[in-house]
Amino acid sequence: MIAAIKRSGSKTRGLLAYLYGPGRADEHLDPHIVAGFAMLGMPDPGRDENATLTELAHYLDEPVRLRNSEFGKKVTDHVWHCPVRAAPEDRYLSDAEWGEIAQRIVQAAGIAPAGDDLACRWIAVRHADDHIHILATTVREDGRRPKLHDSGIRVGDECREIEKDYGLRRLKKGDRTGTRRPTQAEMHKAERLGWEQPAQQWLEDRIRAAIPHVTDVEELLAYLEADGVLLQVKRGPSGGPLGYAAGRPGDLNGKQEQIFHPGGKIAPDLTLPKLKDRLATSTPEEHPTARRNQPTTPWHTATNALDTLHNDLTDTTRDGGSDACAQAHIAALGELIEATAQRTPPELRAELQAAAKTFARAQRSQIRTEDRAADAVRIAARDIINTATRPDGSALAALLSAMVWATILASRWHEAKQHAHQADAARQALQHLQAAADHALAPTLAELQHRQPMEQARRTLASDVRSAVPNHAQRILADPAWPALATVLADAETGGHTPHQLLKEAAAQRELDTARQPARVLITRIQHTGRNPVPNLRAEAARRRTTMATDITSQQVQAPQPTAATPPTGQQHRQRR
């Protein structure tokens, strides 16, 4: 059940005309009052043919007129409007039940507290099976104004109780971290102007896309202006920014003036102070060009950073570590997804952009972030934006696989903290990330399966799987990707790694109980951790034996030798060298 509180100015009669009228699409059927502040003597134009809308408006406005005449100052914002709608799958509610629900809503809002005979005047009008409209005038019978601060939170909490009591669809409790939904007027404007999104959503996407590109607020503001965003910046005496508002070109009000939205209204985590905290890093950053010649690519660096994130989130969920650090890691994960979406091949971009957009809800909660804890992930996102070239298939697949696991951990952490909206957002983002990860790994799987080891080698490697990860061996060997995993293990063994040890390390980095395809998970982990070959122990031992033999021969050559017509063989060999 959703209750949307609105302030509708000062025209009570105008709102009544809408409620008792045909509606915008003739959807208003049989409008009538189901509850009100004083049912006896209240005119109902829907039931009494002699009652008029003007008479009902006059009845509701009486305390307002008395206050205006007493204080000599007209109240101009006294009309309170709250549509209350049930879910499409909810059962039919009678007039009496809707009347009870309306009574509970106005009590929770502070319009008409229980037992208060001097409360505001209000009515609830029903003109459809699935919803009612509550109209109130916000001047009490004693002339005072009601206390409506945080009424939306209280009404939302009461709706969750109503759902429980009436057996209706249960929605998630609000936590004041969500973005404002666009109004019908804003959606109609976007449609009229040919926009795919209303202005506020367009601005949010632009700001989030800009964050990985910059290192401070001034850079962010300059980047947004270059990207076509209109800005109003409030600056202090020193010239530093104190706040900002953003506007979409062409978004004009009735006076043909540009509309600007404050950062905190665009999204709760996009206020200027929060952006300052996120963009500043305590870890000194090298210039992007200084990192281009490093052997580790930005894609591998990002995967390494996510390994640290995995450990921290796991420890926090299991052992009750720092929630502020966990929330910071999740916020930085969203920036990394956004950065990857901007630099990934076109065939993956749509899924990753959808994941970034959806995960934005999981990036914020009521828990304050310790942003410096996530420096490694945030710097990795900037590296991908600034220095990354097109990744090879295995590097991108490893990063996306690490993102999948990080998103699973983020969802678990939010669930443990009872952050229902954030956990749901993480689960939705996970679906997009999994689709992208599967697509990215497909070419690599095909190549690996094409050159899978011989049957005898696969049997030997299967024994390593059974001994290294016995609890998951059956699922791994039954996975269609097992031949590709065998190729990865054979390649790693050629590079000097021990398959048994690699399997144990990879399984320890991510539990396999929830893995849809455990062999694929192991492939990406082993390709990442085993990309740098270690010295082969047998080759190293042989090299040492050769070196020792050469040293002994050299010592023999340098020792005093008996006179001979020809030099010893060892000396001949050394001289030829």
Side-chain angles (χ1 to χ4, degrees):
M1 178 166 286
I2 296 176
I5 296 175
K6 305 175 181 179
R7 286 299 185 94
S8 300
S10 60
K11 296 182 179 180
T12 307
R13 173 64 170 76
L15 182 54
L16 287 173
Y18 167 73
L19 298 181
Y20 279 91
R24 294 186 176 90
D26 295 325
E27 73 275 19
H28 293 182
L29 305 174
D30 187 26
H32 58 281
I33 296 175
V34 295
F37 77 99
M39 293 297 291
L40 293 178
M42 184 185 305
D44 183 359
R47 288 292 181 265
D48 185 350
E49 61 182 13
N50 296 318
T52 65
L53 297 180
T54 301
E55 182 183 9
L56 179 55
H58 187 277
Y59 195 64
L60 293 169
D61 281 340
E62 183 62 28
V64 181
R65 286 194 301 275
L66 292 174
R67 177 187 170 95
N68 289 345
S69 62
E70 182 176 351
F71 287 91
K73 184 179 180 180
K74 187 176 181 180
V75 177
T76 60
D77 60 345
H78 64 273
V79 179
W80 187 88
H81 178 207
C82 181
V84 185
R85 184 178 297 274
E89 63 270 29
D90 284 341
R91 66 177 179 84
Y92 175 84
L93 295 170
S94 67
D95 280 358
E97 288 174 317
W98 273 119
E100 294 167 358
I101 290 170
Q103 185 73 54
R104 293 175 63 166
I105 294 293
V106 294
Q107 288 180 4
I111 292 293
D116 188 348
D117 295 332
L118 300 177
C120 300
R121 298 190 178 190
W122 64 275
I123 58 170
V125 177
R126 180 182 189 180
H127 48 52
D129 288 345
D130 63 347
H131 72 279
I132 60 173
H133 291 258
I134 304 174
L135 184 158
T137 51
T138 57
V139 175
R140 293 166 45 88
E141 297 288 336
D142 56 10
R144 294 185 293 119
R145 303 299 298 273
K147 297 179 179 180
L148 300 179
H149 181 66
D150 285 341
S151 59
I153 299 296
R154 298 193 299 272
V155 167
D157 292 345
E158 187 61 29
C159 285
R160 305 293 80 78
E161 295 299 318
I162 290 171
E163 292 161 358
K164 185 191 310 180
D165 296 342
Y166 286 82
L168 306 177
R169 176 187 173 186
R170 303 284 293 277
L171 300 181
K172 301 175 182 66
K173 187 175 180 180
D175 62 358
R176 307 182 73 176
T177 63
T179 56
R180 180 181 65 83
R181 294 176 179 271
T183 64
Q184 284 190 345
E186 290 170 335
M187 290 189 290
H188 288 322
K189 177 191 282 188
E191 183 178 358
R192 185 175 68 252
L193 296 175
W195 294 345
E196 294 183 0
Q197 299 172 291
Q200 180 179 320
Q201 295 178 345
W202 183 87
L203 291 169
E204 181 181 358
D205 288 352
R206 287 297 185 279
I207 296 172
R208 294 196 188 282
I211 289 174
H213 290 262
V214 300
T215 58
D216 59 42
V217 168
E218 292 289 4
E219 283 187 18
L220 175 64
L221 297 175
Y223 187 95
L224 291 174
E225 285 188 324
D227 196 32
V229 177
L230 303 178
L231 294 175
Q232 285 183 335
V233 182
K234 181 181 178 181
R235 296 186 178 274
S238 63
L242 301 177
Y244 78 101
R248 180 175 187 174
D251 185 21
L252 309 177
N253 61 18
K255 298 179 181 180
Q256 297 302 299
E257 299 169 336
Q258 176 66 46
I259 298 174
F260 288 92
H261 302 266
K265 297 295 184 181
I266 296 172
D269 60 332
L270 297 183
T271 63
L272 194 72
K274 289 182 180 179
L275 288 171
K276 282 183 178 179
D277 290 341
R278 287 171 66 176
L279 294 174
T281 57
S282 60
T283 305
E285 290 190 65
E286 298 175 286
H287 191 274
T289 56
R291 292 189 285 266
R292 287 177 181 164
N293 297 324
Q294 292 183 359
T296 300
T297 70
W299 307 97
H300 290 122
T301 301
T303 306
N304 292 335
L306 286 182
D307 288 342
T308 303
L309 181 150
H310 297 158
N311 295 332
D312 289 349
L313 279 182
T314 301
D315 293 343
T316 303
T317 304
R318 181 188 305 147
D319 304 326
S322 170
D323 288 340
C325 292
Q327 182 62 66
H329 278 304
I330 293 172
L333 172 60
E335 296 175 25
L336 181 58
I337 297 173
E338 174 64 48
T340 305
Q342 294 182 35
R343 288 291 184 265
T344 200
E347 60 269 20
L348 302 178
R349 195 163 298 154
E351 289 287 1
L352 288 173
Q353 286 175 340
K357 188 177 182 65
T358 305
F359 194 76
R361 185 67 179 87
Q363 288 180 257
R364 56 183 182 270
S365 72
Q366 289 285 14
I367 295 175
R368 187 179 181 87
T369 59
E370 182 56 52
D371 291 289
R372 300 293 68 74
D375 278 355
V377 177
R378 189 163 283 116
I379 291 173
R382 294 172 186 168
D383 280 356
I384 286 177
I385 287 290
N386 293 319
T387 68
T389 56
R390 184 183 178 98
D392 64 76
S394 62
L396 181 57
L399 176 58
L400 294 180
S401 179
M403 283 182 181
V404 166
W405 181 231
T407 306
I408 292 173
L409 293 176
S411 175
R412 291 180 180 177
W413 182 80
H414 279 308
E415 286 176 352
K417 300 302 172 183
Q418 299 183 345
H419 300 162
H421 295 280
Q422 290 84 347
D424 186 57
R427 286 190 292 267
Q428 292 180 41
L430 178 62
Q431 297 176 7
H432 296 292
L433 287 172
Q434 286 176 330
D438 290 344
H439 192 90
L441 188 59
T444 301
L445 282 178
E447 187 270 334
L448 291 171
Q449 289 176 342
H450 179 70
R451 57 183 185 86
Q452 59 182 290
M454 301 296 289
E455 184 177 354
Q456 179 60 41
R458 290 202 306 272
R459 284 201 293 267
T460 302
L461 293 170
S463 299
D464 288 325
V465 172
R466 293 188 184 95
S467 61
V469 280
N471 295 335
H472 303 284
Q474 184 175 355
R475 291 179 61 220
I476 294 170
L477 297 176
D479 191 323
W482 156 242
L485 174 59
T487 305
V488 170
L489 292 172
D491 289 346
E493 187 173 28
T494 301
H497 291 279
T498 305
H500 181 277
Q501 185 63 27
L502 278 179
L503 286 164
K504 289 189 67 175
E505 291 175 358
Q509 288 170 339
R510 181 199 161 164
E511 53 89 0
L512 299 175
D513 293 328
T514 57
R516 296 175 303 144
Q517 296 171 300
R520 292 191 177 201
V521 171
L522 293 173
I523 286 170
T524 56
R525 294 308 311 173
I526 291 172
Q527 282 188 323
H528 177 67
T529 57
R531 68 186 187 278
N532 296 321
V534 298
N536 184 282
L537 296 181
R538 294 182 202 173
E540 178 67 12
R543 186 189 66 78
R544 288 180 178 176
R545 286 195 298 271
T546 303
T547 302
M548 291 175 62
T550 302
D551 290 345
I552 292 174
T553 302
S554 176
Q555 291 173 5
Q556 291 174 347
V557 170
Q558 294 173 1
Q561 299 294 329
T563 303
T566 58
T569 303
Q571 188 175 357
Q572 288 179 349
H573 176 69
R574 184 174 65 82
Q575 290 173 346
R576 286 196 299 269
R577 293 177 61 194

